[in-house]
């Protein structure tokens, strides 16, 4: 596919006088610009001088934006492209080095890791670190009881609960002593209204929507994960419904047509009336926010009628449209009432507050749900506004007094009488427990990543998705991320060896240097060199101290010798090999401690009693089935892991073939070992080359549809069939076949084995012959009796 794209670009560029680049207007898009230039400029008229290359900057795919971009062409920005090159090179080199080493080390020692690859990433691992840090906070949290004074004031038939200004006390006796002081007071204790304050407060409209805010909003309000949410937003962008969804801006540029965008939404039957009224009264553009200059905030580009979109696309569009309208609406106004209360008998400990508020002017809240989503406040910090409930308070007047009423205790001889006036108060102690924090939500994790510079607005969702795919964390109800056993061990292991591998500071510093490259303030090669030197030292130290992490793995996971079941015999020791289901699947020899990784993508079965015919091997064979309907092939664990070049190239390993061409057989073998141990042996064909004796002794014909061959299905009867070693092709023999035997005799011309076919009594399709010998490759009679099944394209070998 890549080659065809390059060929197409070169074909359309041939003889062109000018080249205009229309890639996405972010750093990644700028990087693609220069990849296109690299393969196309030499095809242009006059070898493509750079002064005839232009760059279009746009934020939405609609006629007006495209025309506007065309009339304001600029030049591609090489500095932004170089910053992407630097980040990609560092992520690849660092990630591959650490991932390869720890995957090979631990997959060869433990059998129940529940992950095919133990990957490390400069952004991925600090993301995991945030989740693990919260888990450890929860585990080390010790709940403690505390006590507070609970004051209830009855006024006009309504019981109002007051908050104790002193907060709470961890000494139960002190709090109970305060209640006893009021109960025993002579004359009786009372509560006086010390102040009544009423004022209007504005609740500011939301700032325009950027990528990070969109991801958090989708997770909190819609229950859509960040990775999926960004994918949906991109589909809406490509369909012309939304502006470009990867942006850091939270302020509309001066050139943005707010009124025109609103007029597009005025026809909607859900919010059209609100928008029409807003246009009449005038929009209210926020003064805050930041215009990063890359793209405007995310806004609707065209109106989508109710029912025009469906599923998550409709929900995300609805959220973006409402947010845009709310961001240019009037602020909401609340009437806040604060009642100050004072108990004279308790001195300074006797101050309490009742708060309440009522909505006076809904403003933007009429279009967007209040606190439907937004930024999380710092833990343990709640403002007075958050303590206020939306409720109407009864009338309180400064100087009013409320007699204190206590219910009689079992030990008291006093009879309690509720005051007849209907105005009284109650005072009691209330015991509560400190509560631990909960697991990080996706929204909270995004906030931490943004704060510490982990990833970009375009990649944050990918890092969160990766730690889930690797089984480092699991998504639990409430869109919360709970670290798995594997994730906990990895993160704590990094802390034991070098905590900078999991803490965000190093990555944040590198991201800062990449930003300097993008602004032309730093050289790419210098930044990359320094970062590689830093991580090289860290990698060497990590390798030297890997045993510290191994101690944690040993206490959490089972050794290979303790898992699995006896499966096949080793041809060297004649001991049974243990089958570890993985991922990845593998066989393990307890005696020699040798691991034999197996191909993935199919099903491994036993094939008892049959041994590999290769001289010096003699391993007991397995069966490997792939596809639906399945094609089954013989599999020798030893030959699969130690292929011999005389049998032909190993299937599924084209990526390591280049090393052999250069004569680096040692590098090729190492690359093969790494891929197998990392569980990258995705094999959807015969796992052995066609020249392997196992395959060769079952081959009866070439496969006319591929470069493979047709072999007899090793399942043998009762449903006899031939299968292709390279393509999802199955040749079904007639149902009347009783038995098929592969003969040692070969066809003199083609060199393929002959078949001896026996038919059921009286059911032979070949007149007068119950037993028939065939060279299927050139036997037109048998070819006319078979049924050929072609599998789906998705089953082809990768």
């Amino acid at each position: 596919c890549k080659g065809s794209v390059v060929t197409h670009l070169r074909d359309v560029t041939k003889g062109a006088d000018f080249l205009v680049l229309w890639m996405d207007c972010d750093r990644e898009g700028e990087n693609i610009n220069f990849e296109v230039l690299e393969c196309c400029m030499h095809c242009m008229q006059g070898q493509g001088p750079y002064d005839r290359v232009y760059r279009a900057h746009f934020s939405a795919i609609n006629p007006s934006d495209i025309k506007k971009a065309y009339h304001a062409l600029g030049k591609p920005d090489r500095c932004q492209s170089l910053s992407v090159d630097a980040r990609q090179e560092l992520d690849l080199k660092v990630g591959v080095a650490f991932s390869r080493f720890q995957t090979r080390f631990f997959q060869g020692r433990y059998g129940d890791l529940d992950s095919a690859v133990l990957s490390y990433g400069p952004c991925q691992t600090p993301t995991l670190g945030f989740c693990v840090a919260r888990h450890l906070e929860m585990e080390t949290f010790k709940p403690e009881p505390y006590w507070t004074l609970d004051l209830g004031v009855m006024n006009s038939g309504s019981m109002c609960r007051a908050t104790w200004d002193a907060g709470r006390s961890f000494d139960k006796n002190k709090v109970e002593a305060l209640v006893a002081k009021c109960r025993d007071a002579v004359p009786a204790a009372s509560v006086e209204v010390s102040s009544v304050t009423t004022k209007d407060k504005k609740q500011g409209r939301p700032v325009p929507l950027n990528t990070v805010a969109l991801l958090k909003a989708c997770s909190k309000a819609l229950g859509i994960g960040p990775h999926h949410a960004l994918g949906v937003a991109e589909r809406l962008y490509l369909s012309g419904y939304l502006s470009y969804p990867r942006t850091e801006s939270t302020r509309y540029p001066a050139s943005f047509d707010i009124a025109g965008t609103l007029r597009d939404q005025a026809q909607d039957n859900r919010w059209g009336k609100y928008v029409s009224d807003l246009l009449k009264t005038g929009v209210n553009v926020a003064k805050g926010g930041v215009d990063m200059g890359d793209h405007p905030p995310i806004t609707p580009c065209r109106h989508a009628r109710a029912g025009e979109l469906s599923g998550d696309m409709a929900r995300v569009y609805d959220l973006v449209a409402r947010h845009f309208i709310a961001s240019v609406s009037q602020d909401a106004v609340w009437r806040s009432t604060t009642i100050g209360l004072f108990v004279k008998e308790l001195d300074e400990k006797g101050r309490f507050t009742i708060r309440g508020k009522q909505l006076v002017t809904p403003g933007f809240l009429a279009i967007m749900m209040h606190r439907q989503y937004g930024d999380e406040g710092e833990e343990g910090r709640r403002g007075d506004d958050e303590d206020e409930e939306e409720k109407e308070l009864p009338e309180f007047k400064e100087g009013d007094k409320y007699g204190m009423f206590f219910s009689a205790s079992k030990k008291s001889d006093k009879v309690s009488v509720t005051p007849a006036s209907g105005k009284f108060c109650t005072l009691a102690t209330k015991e509560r427990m400190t509560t631990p924090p909960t697991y990080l939500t996706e929204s909270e994790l995004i906030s931490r990543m943004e704060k510490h510079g982990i990833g970009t607005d375009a990649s944050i969702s990918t890092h969160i998705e990766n730690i889930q795919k690797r089984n480092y964390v699991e998504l639990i109800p409430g869109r919360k991320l709970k670290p798995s056993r594997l994730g906990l061990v990895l993160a704590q292991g990094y802390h034991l060896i070098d905590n900078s591998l999991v803490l965000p500071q190093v990555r944040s510093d590198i991201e800062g240097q990449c930003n300097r490259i993008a602004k032309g303030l730093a050289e790419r090669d210098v930044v990359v060199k320094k970062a590689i030197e830093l991580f090289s030292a860290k990698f060497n130290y990590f390798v030297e101290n890997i045993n510290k992490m191994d101690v944690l793995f040993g206490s959490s996971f089972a050794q290979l010798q303790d898992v699995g079941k006896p499966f096949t015999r080793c041809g060297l020791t004649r001991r049974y090999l243990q089958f570890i289901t993985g991922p990845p699947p593998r066989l393990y020899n307890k005696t020699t401690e040798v691991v034999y990784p197996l191909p993935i993508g199919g099903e491994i079965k036993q094939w008892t009693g049959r041994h590999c015919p290769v001289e010096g091997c003699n391993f007991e064979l397995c069966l490997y089935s792939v596809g639906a309907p399945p094609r089954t092939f013989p599999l020798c664990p030893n030959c699969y892991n130690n292929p011999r070049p005389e049998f032909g190239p190993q299937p599924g390993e084209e990526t390591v073939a280049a090393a052999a061409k250069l004569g680096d057989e040692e590098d090729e073998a190492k690359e093969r070992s790494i891929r197998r141990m990392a569980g990258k042996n995705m094999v959807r064909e015969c796992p052995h080359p066609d020249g392997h004796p196992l395959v060769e002794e079952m081959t009866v014909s070439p496969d006319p549809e591929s470069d493979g061959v047709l072999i007899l299905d090793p399942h043998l009867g009762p449903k006899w069939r031939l299968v292709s070693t390279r393509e999802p092709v199955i040749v079904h023999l007639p149902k009347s076949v009783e038995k098929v035997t592969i003969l040692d005799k070969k066809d003199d011309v083609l060199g393929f084995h002959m078949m001896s076919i026996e038919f059921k009594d009286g059911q032979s399709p070949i007149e007068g012959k119950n037993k028939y010998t065939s060279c299927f490759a050139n036997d037109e009679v048998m070819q006319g009796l078979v049924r050929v099944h072609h599998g789906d394209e998705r089953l082809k070998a990768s």
Side-chain angles (χ1 to χ4, degrees), residues 13-17 41-52:
T13 313
K14 283 180 181 176
D17 294 313
M41 278 193 69
H42 66 278
C43 299
M44 293 175 62
Q45 190 76 25
Q47 299 297 309
Y50 189 73
D51 60 356
R52 289 193 273 120

Side-chain angles (χ1 to χ4, degrees), residues 384-506:
D384 291 344
D385 291 346
E386 294 188 38
D387 287 332
E388 294 179 355
E389 294 183 34
E390 186 179 356
K391 62 182 179 181
E392 183 179 0
L393 297 177
E395 183 180 5
F396 287 88
K397 293 182 179 180
E398 191 171 336
D400 283 355
K401 291 188 178 182
Y402 296 79
M404 198 168 289
F405 165 72
F406 295 93
S407 59
S409 65
K410 293 181 179 179
K411 296 181 180 180
S412 176
D413 295 331
K414 296 181 179 179
V415 178
S416 60
V417 179
T418 305
S421 65
K423 285 190 173 185
F424 62 92
C425 64
T426 61
L427 184 67
T429 58
K430 199 165 208 175
E431 180 179 355
R432 292 190 174 96
M433 298 290 289
T434 55
T435 56
T438 62
Y439 289 111
L440 284 180
T441 64
E442 290 171 326
S443 180
E444 290 171 329
L445 179 57
I446 292 170
S447 295
R448 277 167 169 71
M449 294 174 70
E450 181 187 30
K451 177 181 177 181
H452 293 280
I454 301 301
T456 64
D457 58 338
S459 64
I460 282 176
S461 62
T462 302
H463 301 315
I464 297 176
E465 180 77 2
N466 283 341
I467 62 174
Q468 295 180 64
K469 284 183 176 179
R470 296 286 185 256
N471 291 325
Y472 294 165
V473 300
E474 62 173 317
L475 189 65
I476 60 175
R479 308 297 305 182
K480 296 177 181 178
L481 297 165
K482 177 183 178 182
S484 66
R485 183 176 48 159
L486 178 59
L488 287 169
V489 170
L490 275 174
Q492 290 176 296
Y494 293 133
H495 277 294
L496 279 177
I497 299 173
D498 181 356
N499 60 14
S500 67
L501 293 174
V502 70
L503 293 176
Q505 187 57 49
V506 172

Side-chain angles (χ1 to χ4, degrees), residues 557-592:
F557 299 100
Q559 299 276 349
L560 282 177
Q561 61 263 30
D562 299 327
V563 297
K565 61 180 180 179
F567 201 69
T568 61
R569 286 186 184 273
C570 172
L572 304 176
T573 63
R574 303 309 302 156
R575 303 275 185 160
Y576 272 105
L577 302 176
Q578 301 292 110
F579 180 50
I580 315 297
T581 56
R586 53 208 187 276
L587 296 172
Y588 175 68
N589 190 323
K590 288 184 177 182
T591 304
T592 61

Side-chain angles (χ1 to χ4, degrees), residues 169-202:
S169 172
F170 291 93
D171 188 334
K172 180 180 179 181
N173 293 331
K174 285 184 178 180
V175 179
E176 289 184 338
L178 294 174
V179 176
K181 189 174 182 180
C182 291
R183 181 188 298 116
D184 299 335
V186 178
S190 63
V191 172
E192 181 181 357
V193 178
S194 58
S195 64
V196 177
T197 305
T198 300
K199 62 180 179 179
D200 289 346
K201 293 182 179 180
K202 285 187 176 182

